[in-house]
């Protein structure tokens, strides 16, 4: 299936909104959902860290994934941002077509 | 794997609760999780839109997916609701069996 | 792809934090994201239940999945906790390498 989900974490709502809006304007994502107040726990240089982040779920396509990744790496404030993508196995035809239309500028 | 995750976005908590409860009563989903206050950014007729939605994550099975999709399209307030599903690759046997039992009315 | 996403639901933030931190200290996950205030609707003994839970999204690897599942089943307050995992199809190389490094203690 051509449509995929991409997860990207951000340090704040404003940064997530700014980059998310740019992804849509550049037709690198059809839409993005921002989940606020996500608590991220990880280890950094041996210390357990606990930060509040914003989780973005972007709907894009396999053919646009690499451009999306390259753009996010260019503008994201982290050195190594989380950018991971998952295949879809099912989807309503109308919605999947809408995603494709968005990516090809047929609004 | 038979169990899948389905993502559906809703305009409000009440609508998400109502349709989510119906999915369970009709044995079209074993359980649904509702993530509130999700910010959705997308383009509509050339304008960037920014709405607050509720993201539902429904646990169902491959064999029930089409019935779930058909029902949601029938009752959802949007013309083209997001209904997308993902395969699972791993899962604890006890939980996967619970999902199957729910879908076959063995509560 | 070696890196996978694992979803686990918890009854409270404290329990999710405690078990999430242990997963990282035991190198069973590279990082965990906690989504708070998730509304879970399901059926239990014929009754519709509606609880507030915390959804954890853990980043781990295929080779560590079974150890992670076994540990969570051991310490989780539920008899049959939801522990389900999904394959990744795409990811930025730098981030995927970071996950692997974390799992092998190269902090």
């Amino acid at each position: 299936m051509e449509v995929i989900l991409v997860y990207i974490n951000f340090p704040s709502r404003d940064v997530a909104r700014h980059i998310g809006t740019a992804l849509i304007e550049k037709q690198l994502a059809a839409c993005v959902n921002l989940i606020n107040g996500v608590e991220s726990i990880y280890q950094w240089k041996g210390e357990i860290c606990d930060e509040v982040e914003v989780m973005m779920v972007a709907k894009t396509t396999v053919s646009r994934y690499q451009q999306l990744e390259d753009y996010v790496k260019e503008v994201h404030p982290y050195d190594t941002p989380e950018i991971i993508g998952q295949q879809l196995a099912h989807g309503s035809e109308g919605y999947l077509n809408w995603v494709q239309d968005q990516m090809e500028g047929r609004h």
Side-chain angles (χ1 to χ4, degrees), chain A residues 64-88:
Chain A
R64 283 289 160 77
Y65 172 77
Q66 199 52 55
Q67 281 174 278
L68 179 149
E69 182 186 303
D70 294 342
Y71 175 73
V72 171
K73 282 191 294 197
E74 208 184 288
V75 298
H76 199 290
Y78 298 167
D79 294 340
T80 314
E82 172 189 298
I83 309 168
I84 47 180
Q86 285 180 323
Q87 218 58 40
L88 288 182

Side-chain angles (χ1 to χ4, degrees), chain A residues 3 13-14 17 27 39 51-52 69 72 81 95 99:
Chain A
V3 177
R13 195 189 296 221
D14 287 346
R17 269 187 193 144
Q27 290 172 201
E39 203 173 325
E51 311 266 343
V52 177
E69 182 186 303
V72 171
Y95 181 75
V99 171

Side-chain angles (χ1 to χ4, degrees), chain A residues 18-62:
Chain A
H18 180 69
I19 295 178
T21 302
L23 290 176
I24 291 162
E25 287 169 342
K26 293 174 183 293
Q27 290 172 201
L28 295 176
C31 74
V32 298
N33 304 129
L34 307 183
I35 303 174
N36 295 299
V38 172
E39 203 173 325
S40 298
I41 304 174
Y42 57 96
Q43 192 152 201
W44 185 257
K45 295 179 176 158
E47 294 292 318
I48 296 286
C49 306
D50 188 328
E51 311 266 343
V52 177
E53 291 189 306
V54 175
M55 180 186 288
M56 177 188 287
V57 184
K59 282 20 104 68
T60 185
T61 55
V62 175

